[in-house]
Amino acid sequence: MTPLDQIITVLAGLGAGIATSSIGVASLVSFPILLALGIAPVTANSSNTVALVPAGLTGALGYRRELRGRLSLAAAVMTVSGAAAVAGALLLLRLPPDVFATLVPWLILFACLLVAVQPRISAWLRSRRPERTDDARASMTPPLAAGTAACGVYGGYFGAGQGVVMIAVLSLGLDLPLPVVSALRTLAVLASNIVATIVFVFLAPLDWQIVALLASGSIVGGYLGALIGRMLPTAVFRGLIVAAGLAVAIGYWL
């Protein structure tokens, strides 16, 4: 890599770190840049996943205020997402990349739709429950576990848009403020990335120079993204999530 390529890769890691903690679409920044630099798709995907682990760690640190008092829920989300990511990581190494690449934009578009209509769906679900003040959904349920597991498989295989999907699943499954949902999303993505990293280190093609450069930028970006995600108004945050997801989906067709 030339010195300019190295600088671009570090900046890609910074942008991806900000995106993964705030909007949830890190691949919108880093993955296309790696492809533009001539990195093979599978190598770019696996190296990108490994490099974004530091962003998840600093992002979780930035969201520590939202996670207070919710450690059991956070642990459940991380456990389910991480365990399911094993299957996704192994699928990446066993199936042709074109199989999932065809489905990725459609899955992201569906996730964007869920995020956009989530307030109406949540209101409808609340209207169907008895009028009580003590039944707010704030713990892991079987449907939420199933959705989290599906996102874990998705993230382990090809993480583009995983954060958008997790926002949709967690928003539909929990009655919690969006910043808290975003914090839980960050942990879910972190867990799947950690587990996928363990698999990739032993079985996948990795470019360790790319990993180091991306990670150096993502460490700072992850923490900054958490601060941005906390300060954004809910409506603006939701709109950015949908816009970012649409951009990723359209990018796959271009």
Side-chain angles (χ1 to χ4, degrees), residues 116-252:
V117 303
Q118 181 271 325
R120 293 182 178 274
I121 295 177
S122 294
W124 179 80
L125 290 173
R126 284 193 296 271
S127 71
R128 303 285 294 181
R129 297 200 303 270
E131 293 185 1
R132 297 172 52 189
T133 59
D134 59 348
D135 65 343
R137 299 170 301 161
S139 60
M140 181 65 72
T141 62
L144 179 57
T148 302
C151 289
V153 174
Y154 176 83
Y157 183 37
F158 198 80
Q162 183 190 7
V164 172
V165 181
M166 275 305 308
I167 283 283
V169 169
L170 292 169
S171 295
L172 292 172
L174 298 168
D175 293 323
L176 295 173
L178 193 57
V180 177
V181 169
S182 183
L184 293 170
R185 178 278 318 277
T186 299
L187 291 180
V189 174
L190 171 62
S192 64
N193 282 350
I194 289 175
V195 171
T197 291
I198 295 173
V199 176
F200 292 160
V201 164
F202 292 101
L203 300 176
L206 292 172
D207 186 320
W208 286 106
Q209 183 182 22
I210 292 292
V211 170
L213 293 171
L214 281 176
S216 64
S218 74
I219 291 173
V220 178
Y223 190 80
L224 291 177
L227 300 180
I228 293 171
R230 178 185 296 136
M231 292 185 297
L232 284 177
T234 298
V236 174
F237 189 40
R238 192 181 303 279
L240 287 174
I241 291 170
V242 174
L246 290 174
V248 172
I250 293 171
Y252 276 98

